[in-house]
Amino acid sequence: MHPFSYTKVSDVGGALAAGRRGGRYIAGGTTLVDLMRETVERPGELVDISALPLREVSTTAGGGLRIGALVSMAEAAAHPKVRATFPVVAQALELSASPQLRNMATIGGNIMQRTRCTYFRDVTAACNKRRPGSGCAAVDGFNRSHAILGASGQCVATHPSDVAVAFAALEATVHLQGPDGERGVAFADFLLPPGGTPDREQALRPGELITAVEIPALPRPLRSGYLKVRDRQSYEFALTSAAVALHVRGGVIRAAKVAAGGVGTVPWKLPAVERHLVGERPSTSLWAAAAERAADGARPLRHNGFKVELLKRTVERQLRVVGGTK
Ligand code: SF4
């Protein structure tokens, strides 16, 4: 591990001052410390923000939900407001990582976590994300777990977060505070696909701090849930996943929010699936027809062609579970 300095701050002003001079924010540390040990990351200064007052879960006007950036994954998953309002968020959290990690890791840190591409974590491998311009060992390497959607010639890594898939489906907003004040960024614009700059992963300005994630109010009743398909049933990342929320009134689907994980370079919203559902009556044939659109635009690599069919089946199954026509 490379030498670094450590500063603990107790208020947002102190954090921003440290961020302005180039300090790197750390809270649970469940990703960053690993990467520092492996010398993938070499920050000169760590700014410990774990004491900041960003630990509240609250209901917003109209019935949305605001989750403070420092709420732990375990706290958010167990919170009665999260469980009652958006079960898809609680389920995505409970299917992530391990109990120990969920106790330490925070909501803000979870959406900031870096890819699990093995070449990214191997400092001897070519990786444009770790070292821009060095190439991508995964394109012609073993790419079974990599992306089929949103990739570029520069990078084909997936985003590993589960709860980010739920946030993408529900069209959340990421609240930020920085040297120029506060702002909100739509979740769809917060995590960046690789394009020609895979080392740039979030739409953060220098020194900006995530303060909360806000899920907008959605029409009620709303049924929602998260399905994760992986090689083993615990402590494993998704091969595919689906976050689904449906508002059905008078026997007709009035609103549908759907996103997929494990397949995209960012959590992958599925607007074609949503459009296929809205205005229709729930049925097994509807779920199957809508799920056929889930892999629109997919470009599989040498080892991950199976994800195309697996994604469609994952989405179809979760539509059946949430839509209630098993
Ligand atoms: Fe690096 Fe992305 Fe290629 Fe993995 S897929 S080796 S993270 S550039």
Side-chain angles (χ1 to χ4, degrees):
M1 195 183 282
H2 286 252
F4 60 91
S5 64
Y6 171 87
T7 310
K8 182 149 187 168
V9 293
S10 56
D11 56 45
V12 170
L16 295 179
R20 230 183 339 257
R21 63 174 180 259
R24 185 76 183 273
Y25 300 132
I26 185 167
T30 52
T31 290
L32 184 54
V33 172
D34 279 356
L35 293 173
M36 289 171 66
R37 285 200 189 106
E38 291 162 348
T39 68
V40 172
E41 297 251 25
R42 303 176 185 189
E45 179 183 6
L46 289 186
V47 182
D48 184 345
I49 58 170
S50 59
L52 299 186
L54 303 172
R55 293 188 172 275
E56 200 184 343
V57 177
S58 56
T59 306
T60 62
L65 206 60
R66 185 180 170 107
I67 307 175
L70 292 176
V71 175
S72 74
M73 293 171 69
E75 288 164 347
H79 199 286
K81 284 179 179 159
V82 177
R83 298 184 82 80
T85 320
F86 297 109
V88 61
V89 171
Q91 290 172 18
L93 288 164
E94 286 173 336
L95 291 169
S96 304
S98 66
Q100 294 89 340
L101 287 167
R102 294 196 294 271
N103 283 336
M104 287 298 294
T106 62
I107 291 295
N110 183 284
I111 62 175
M112 289 290 291
Q113 69 179 292
R114 307 200 70 189
T115 182
R116 259 56 192 183
C117 171
T118 51
Y119 301 106
F120 171 72
R121 283 162 187 260
D122 173 359
V123 292
T124 66
C127 174
N128 288 320
K129 190 182 280 297
R130 177 169 30 76
R131 194 151 60 84
S134 63
C136 172
V139 167
D140 294 318
F142 186 57
N143 43 41
R144 176 176 180 269
S145 66
H146 287 72
I148 57 172
L149 290 157
S152 73
Q154 296 278 308
C155 179
V156 294
T158 53
H159 192 275
S161 168
D162 291 294
V163 75
V165 181
F167 290 152
L170 298 169
E171 293 156 17
T173 296
V174 182
H175 288 278
L176 305 170
Q177 196 159 343
D180 301 325
E182 296 178 32
R183 67 185 180 117
V185 178
F187 204 84
D189 300 325
F190 180 71
L191 296 174
L192 305 176
T197 54
D199 54 313
R200 186 154 186 264
E201 296 173 338
Q202 302 91 15
L204 281 168
R205 296 173 186 155
E208 273 188 326
L209 180 71
I210 301 174
T211 54
V213 176
E214 184 173 334
I215 304 168
L218 287 168
R220 300 280 156 181
L222 187 80
R223 289 173 57 95
S224 72
Y226 186 73
L227 175 64
K228 181 174 182 175
V229 178
R230 45 189 168 170
D231 283 329
R232 60 182 182 204
Q233 273 305 310
S234 137
Y235 197 33
E236 183 59 280
F237 294 94
L239 288 170
T240 59
S241 71
V244 171
L246 298 174
H247 167 55
V248 181
R249 188 166 43 82
V252 175
I253 300 168
R254 311 285 175 171
K257 307 290 178 190
V258 187
V263 289
T265 51
V266 293
W268 206 256
K269 184 79 160 152
L270 297 173
V273 174
E274 295 171 343
R275 281 194 299 273
H276 202 96
L277 295 168
V278 173
E280 303 294 332
R281 293 184 173 274
S283 70
T284 50
S285 59
L286 178 68
W287 308 140
E292 269 301 309
R293 307 298 310 274
D296 283 4
R299 293 176 60 190
L301 302 163
R302 186 165 171 212
H303 302 113
N304 66 4
F306 71 96
K307 283 192 176 186
V308 173
E309 185 61 25
L310 188 61
L311 171 60
K312 294 179 191 175
R313 294 187 191 192
T314 305
V315 170
E316 181 185 350
R317 185 167 136 197
Q318 193 57 4
L319 286 171
R320 258 191 288 137
V321 170
V322 173
T325 52
K326 298 178 188 177

